[in-house]
Amino acid sequence: MKCLVIVLLALVALSECIHRMPLIKGKTARERLMEKGKWDEYRQKYPYNPMVKFLQTGVESMTNDADLSYYGVVSIGTPPQSFTVIFDTGSSNLWVPSTYCTSSEACLNHNRFNPSQSSSFVWGGQSLSIDYGTGSMTGYLGSDSVETVLKGGGITVKNQVFGLSASEADFMAEMTADGILGLAFQSISSDNVVPVFYNMISQSLVAEPVFSVYLSGNDQQGSEVLFGGIDSSYYTGSITWIPLSSASYYQINMDSVTINGQTVACSGGCQAIIDTGTSLIVGPTTDINNMNSWVGATLNQYGEGVVNCQNLASMPDVTFTLNGNAFTVPASAYVSQSSSGCTTGFGQGGSQALWILGDVFIREYYAIFDTQAQYIGLAKSV
């Protein structure tokens, strides 16, 4: 009995060290633009280019065009000012709109941080530039207390350097979230800013240098980022651990993409990035077009795969083999249904051989990010 009590106390202590950030799946900028009848105009003006954030150097790049959706809440300053942010494993900086951004619609229709109203704010004396492909965010760096608004109370990171926008790309006006909180490695951080999760670790706010992401199939609730551990209730079976091939983004080796046992993409191997800041599964245009053909999709004028919603039950699974391990995504996961019809969640990424396994993939597989050991853990979501 004594041993049982010790085990139970240990489990309680472990659960208390995992900090839960609820995520909300809001409408993407794409969906909001479509509702307003502006999508065609926007897509013609800004061709889809989701790979830009992974291929540039010199400035922090963070874009998914119009497909960002999952967001949570952070508070910055003393007293706290609240903001909704995308928790993005494809970038490393935290930034929010500021009161110095007065001419961009994207700032005017979002919450803006006012440095003069925070007694703990300190200017950093450096500028910040983030390229979106469809425009850019420019601003300044400062530091302040950042609290992640969690279930059962928040945890506060002291002296966190973050960006305050002075101008923002036009398409940000259509996004639900105010800003971005990057969770990738410091090696790709603009101005070498220490990322929020690094400071959580160094300030002993989490028990383990691990965070995990569960994306629920529910449109509005149930999704979470867990800082400091893993929740076994979010997955079934065992966790498959895959070493990172690059500790900048969460990049891993992908062996192939198969449908009905046939290799349809990534022949001979390629690189893939697990990215919470991208809604779709993105790959080289030729490969993506081949995948769409195999699942019975036809391409519209923007290269999107359109399918008959009535054919969903008969469409094949798509299997991604990562470091020798097969991960299957069914049609019910990779097809998106809306009032305008059904499209596949496969996005054209141009000529680059790099792949992005975004939210379409992560909704199927609970993702664990071990920043210290530099591994990704994947397990079948429940």
Side-chain angles (χ1 to χ4, degrees):
M1 179 63 71
K2 182 179 179 181
C3 291
L4 177 60
V5 171
I6 291 173
V7 170
L8 289 174
L9 288 174
L11 289 173
V12 170
L14 180 60
S15 67
E16 290 177 346
C17 292
I18 299 176
H19 305 282
R20 299 173 179 272
M21 163 63 70
L23 297 179
I24 300 171
K25 185 179 185 295
K27 289 182 179 179
T28 67
R30 177 196 298 252
E31 291 168 332
R32 292 162 68 98
L33 285 162
M34 289 179 72
E35 288 178 354
K36 296 179 180 180
K38 295 181 178 180
W39 178 243
D40 286 351
E41 175 187 350
Y42 171 88
R43 181 46 68 224
Q44 290 174 11
K45 187 175 181 180
Y46 302 116
Y48 189 61
N49 190 13
M51 286 293 178
V52 69
K53 79 182 193 182
F54 301 110
L55 302 176
Q56 295 194 2
T57 58
V59 296
E60 169 73 3
S61 299
M62 205 307 302
T63 183
N64 182 39
D65 258 351
D67 286 315
L68 296 172
S69 56
Y70 289 93
Y71 58 91
V73 179
V74 298
S75 294
I76 303 174
T78 308
Q81 301 174 44
S82 293
F83 303 89
T84 55
V85 293
I86 301 293
F87 285 82
D88 177 39
T89 59
S91 67
S92 301
N93 287 77
L94 166 64
W95 71 266
V96 295
S98 80
T99 51
Y100 296 97
C101 184
T102 58
S103 59
S104 299
E105 181 185 355
C107 292
L108 299 178
N109 67 3
H110 285 93
N111 295 316
R112 293 183 292 168
F113 181 75
N114 189 338
S116 66
Q117 293 183 0
S118 173
S119 62
S120 50
F121 177 80
V122 177
W123 281 109
Q126 290 176 287
S127 61
L128 177 69
S129 178
I130 301 179
D131 183 29
Y132 286 93
T134 54
S136 64
M137 184 286 281
T138 62
Y140 312 98
L141 292 176
S143 66
D144 211 328
S145 298
V146 175
E147 180 182 14
T148 50
V149 181
L150 309 168
K151 289 183 178 178
I155 56 175
T156 300
V157 176
K158 300 294 186 182
N159 304 314
Q160 176 64 50
V161 177
F162 68 102
L164 299 86
S165 74
S167 67
E168 295 184 17
D170 291 343
F171 89 94
M172 292 292 292
E174 304 299 336
M175 284 179 53
T176 303
D178 301 311
I180 306 292
L181 192 154
L183 291 168
F185 292 88
Q186 188 175 355
S187 61
I188 61 166
S189 177
S190 180
D191 295 303
N192 200 36
V193 169
V194 178
V196 172
F197 190 63
Y198 277 49
N199 280 327
M200 286 186 182
I201 296 169
S202 65
Q203 295 177 24
S204 301
L205 300 175
V206 290
E208 297 181 80
V210 171
F211 66 92
S212 53
V213 177
Y214 173 76
L215 298 185
S216 168
N218 187 295
D219 282 345
Q220 297 298 325
Q221 58 188 2
S223 301
E224 284 188 337
V225 176
L226 291 84
F227 295 111
I230 303 166
D231 187 338
S232 60
S233 69
Y234 280 151
Y235 67 90
T236 183
S238 58
I239 299 170
T240 299
W241 291 99
I242 303 171
L244 298 184
S245 57
S246 173
S248 49
Y249 307 101
Y250 294 94
Q251 185 171 321
I252 56 178
N253 294 319
M254 186 158 77
D255 306 320
S256 65
V257 180
T258 58
I259 296 177
N260 296 330
Q262 299 295 313
T263 298
V264 298
C266 184
S267 179
C270 55
Q271 293 292 297
I273 292 168
I274 308 294
D275 181 22
T276 59
T278 298
S279 290
L280 308 180
I281 292 172
V282 179
T285 297
T286 300
D287 281 355
I288 291 296
N289 290 347
N290 195 39
M291 290 169 61
N292 274 319
S293 177
W294 271 78
V295 302
T298 57
L299 301 183
N300 65 15
Q301 59 183 319
Y302 307 118
E304 299 164 331
V306 179
V307 297
N308 187 328
C309 297
Q310 303 301 317
N311 296 338
L312 189 61
S314 61
M315 292 174 64
D317 296 342
V318 179
T319 299
F320 299 84
T321 301
L322 309 175
N323 205 52
N325 304 280
F327 297 89
T328 297
V329 179
S332 58
Y334 67 73
V335 172
S336 174
Q337 301 187 56
S338 68
S339 58
S340 59
C342 288
T343 56
T344 65
F346 308 138
Q348 297 177 346
S351 61
Q352 297 293 329
L354 190 65
W355 287 73
I356 309 171
L357 302 183
D359 297 341
V360 168
F361 183 86
I362 300 170
R363 275 192 292 269
E364 284 297 295
Y365 294 97
Y366 180 52
I368 304 152
F369 301 82
D370 189 326
T371 60
Q372 184 170 288
Q374 298 184 2
Y375 273 78
I376 283 281
L378 296 171
K380 186 70 176 70
S381 291
V382 295

